[in-house]
Amino acid sequence: MSAAVTRHTGGLLHSIYLPRAADALAFAMSTYGIPLLVLATTRSAALTGAAFAMEWVPRLAAFGWAGTIVDRCGVAHVFHLASLGRALALAAGAILLHLHPSGTVAITTVMTLAATTGVLTQFSYIAAETAGAAAGRRAGGRAHRVQAVLLGIDQTAILAGPALAGVLLLAGPPPMLAVITVLSLLAAVLALRTPPSPVAPARTPKAQVGAGWRTIRTLPALGWLVTGLALSNLATGLLQAAGPVIVVQHFGQSTTAVGLVWSAAAGATLLSVTLCRFAIDRLGLWPVGAACAALASLACLAVAQAPDYLSYLVLVAVLMAADGGMTVVLRTLRSRLIPPEKFGSTLSATILILLLPFPVAGVLTALTPPDAMGHVITACAVLQALGLLLAFTRLRTDPALRT
C-alpha cells in the first residue's frame, strides 16, 4: 500500500503539481506584473487602469469558451497551447521593449501584452483546474489531499509572484518578461505530461451561463451572497487596479513595494481561510460571514485615508483576509445548495458575476485623476458596505446559513 501511494504521489508530482506550479507562478506574475510594467513604461495612471481592464475583459470573454474548448479538445492540448502562446507573446514583448523602451511602440506593446496574456492565462487556468479536478476524482478517498496541495500551490504562487515581478522590474521590463516567458515555456513542456481527458461535446458558453443563471435565481441565499460579494469585488478590484499608482506615485515607493502589498495580502488570506474553516465549524456560516463582511467594509473605508505605505499595506492585507473568509462562506454555501447535476453551469455563472467588477475597476482607474483616487475608493467602499449589509441582513434568517 505504501509503495502504491508513493507511486501515485510521484505521478501526480510530474503530471499535475509541477505543471500547475509553473503556470500558477506565471499567472500571478503576469496578473500583477503587467499593470506595473505599464506604469513603469508609460508613467500614466490612466493607461495603467486601462491595462488592468484590458487584462480582465478578454478573460471574461474567454471564460465560457475556455471551458467549452477544454471539454472538446482535451486538457493537455489546451494547457500546452495556451502556455506556449503566452510564452511566445511575452518573448516578443521582451524583444520589442528592449529595442523600443519608450514611445509609441512601447505603449502599444505593453497594452497588447495586457490583453493577450489575459486571455491566454484564462485558457491555461481553466485547463489546469480541470486537470486538478480530474486528479481528485482519480484519487478517490485521497481527493482532499490532492485539492489541499493544489490550493497550497496557488497560494504560494500568489505570495511569491507579485513580489518577484516587482523585484525583476527594477532591472527593467525585458528581464521581468523573460522570466515569465521561461515559466510559461516550462508549463507548456510539463503540460504534455498531463493525463489526457475524455473529449466530449459541450454546451455553448451562452447556454452554460444561462443555465447557471436560472439556477441562481431559484436559490435566493446564493443570489444575495453573490450580489454582495460582486459589489465588494468592485472595491477590491479598484485597489488592485490603482495599486501601482497609489504606491508608486502617491506614497513614493518602488515597484517592489507594490508586489509586497499583494504578497502580504495573500499570506493574510491564506491564514484567514484556515481560521475561518474552524470558526464555521464552531459558530456557523452566518456569524463568520457577517464578521468578515464588517471587517472588510471597515478596512476598505480606512484604506482611502491611509496616511503612509505601511498602514496601506496592513489595511489591504486585512481587507483581503476578510474577503478570503467570505469566499469560504460562499464555497460552503455553493456546495450545500447547488444540485450536483447543475453545479458546473452554476459555478460558471457565479464566477462570471464575481469577476465582472474587475474590468469596471480598471475603467474607473483610467478615468479618475490620481488626486481624486481616494474619493473614488471611498465611494466604492461605501457601496461595498451597503451591499454586504443588505446581503447578510437578508441572509440572517435563511436556513442555509444557520448551520
Side-chain angles (χ1 to χ4, degrees):
M1 178 64 72
S2 177
V5 171
T6 301
R7 287 194 299 271
H8 177 75
T9 303
L12 286 175
L13 175 65
H14 295 290
S15 64
I16 301 295
Y17 297 154
L18 288 179
R20 177 66 165 255
D23 185 71
L25 188 54
F27 181 108
M29 290 183 67
S30 61
T31 297
Y32 293 96
I34 295 297
L36 282 175
L37 174 63
V38 173
L39 182 63
T41 303
T42 67
R43 303 295 178 184
S44 169
L47 288 177
T48 302
F52 187 86
M54 289 179 68
E55 272 191 307
W56 281 100
V57 169
R59 288 185 185 185
L60 294 177
F63 182 79
W65 289 108
T68 301
I69 291 175
V70 167
D71 287 341
R72 290 178 177 173
C73 300
V75 167
H77 289 92
V78 176
F79 198 168
H80 171 73
L81 292 176
S83 298
L84 182 61
R86 183 176 59 204
L88 294 175
L90 290 165
I95 294 171
L96 286 172
L97 289 177
H98 177 72
L99 297 175
H100 304 279
S102 61
T104 304
V105 173
I107 294 174
T108 303
T109 298
V110 295
M111 299 303 285
T112 303
L113 277 178
T116 304
T117 57
V119 68
L120 291 172
T121 294
Q122 186 64 50
F123 276 87
S124 66
Y125 173 76
I126 294 296
E129 279 285 285
T130 304
R137 288 192 294 270
R138 288 193 297 269
R142 295 187 296 273
H144 63 286
R145 299 182 184 179
V146 174
Q147 295 304 320
V149 173
L150 293 175
L151 177 61
I153 289 172
D154 290 343
Q155 290 298 322
T156 302
I158 295 174
L159 274 168
L164 181 58
V167 170
L168 290 170
L169 193 54
L170 293 176
M176 186 193 80
L177 294 178
V179 171
I180 307 176
T181 298
V182 171
L183 288 169
S184 298
L185 281 174
L186 181 61
V189 172
L190 293 172
L192 295 174
R193 305 190 65 173
T194 302
S197 59
V199 178
R203 286 183 293 185
T204 64
K206 182 178 179 180
Q208 184 181 27
V209 175
W213 176 246
R214 288 191 293 273
T215 303
I216 292 175
R217 287 192 297 176
T218 65
L219 302 171
L222 182 62
W224 279 111
L225 186 56
V226 169
T227 301
L229 289 178
L231 292 173
S232 181
N233 280 352
L234 179 61
T236 57
L238 183 63
L239 288 175
Q240 288 186 32
V245 178
I246 295 171
V247 174
V248 175
Q249 295 188 352
H250 181 67
F251 291 127
Q253 300 293 318
S254 67
T255 55
T256 306
V258 182
L260 288 176
V261 169
W262 297 109
S263 293
T269 301
L270 185 58
L271 177 62
S272 170
V273 167
T274 302
L275 293 176
C276 283
R277 288 173 181 169
F278 293 105
I280 290 171
D281 289 337
R282 296 179 62 87
L283 303 174
L285 281 176
W286 191 89
V288 174
C292 289
L295 185 60
S297 300
L298 292 173
C300 194
L301 287 167
V303 163
Q305 310 301 323
D308 52 42
Y309 170 73
L310 181 59
S311 59
Y312 176 83
L313 181 148
V314 172
L315 288 169
V316 170
V318 171
L319 168 61
M320 298 309 296
D323 185 74
M326 289 189 289
T327 301
V328 174
V329 174
L330 173 64
R331 285 175 176 267
T332 306
L333 192 64
R334 280 194 314 219
S335 65
R336 290 183 180 180
L337 293 181
I338 302 175
E341 67 276 7
K342 299 179 180 179
F343 192 86
S345 60
T346 309
L347 177 63
S348 297
T350 58
I351 293 177
L352 186 60
I353 293 169
L354 292 173
L355 293 183
L356 280 173
F358 285 94
V360 176
V363 173
L364 283 176
T365 302
L367 297 178
T368 303
D371 293 341
M373 193 63 69
H375 300 298
V376 177
I377 293 174
T378 300
C380 288
V382 171
L383 186 62
Q384 174 197 42
L386 292 175
L388 291 176
L389 176 63
L390 180 60
F392 279 94
T393 298
R394 293 273 185 168
L395 292 172
R396 184 172 185 177
T397 57
D398 195 290
L401 272 80
R402 289 179 182 175
T403 57

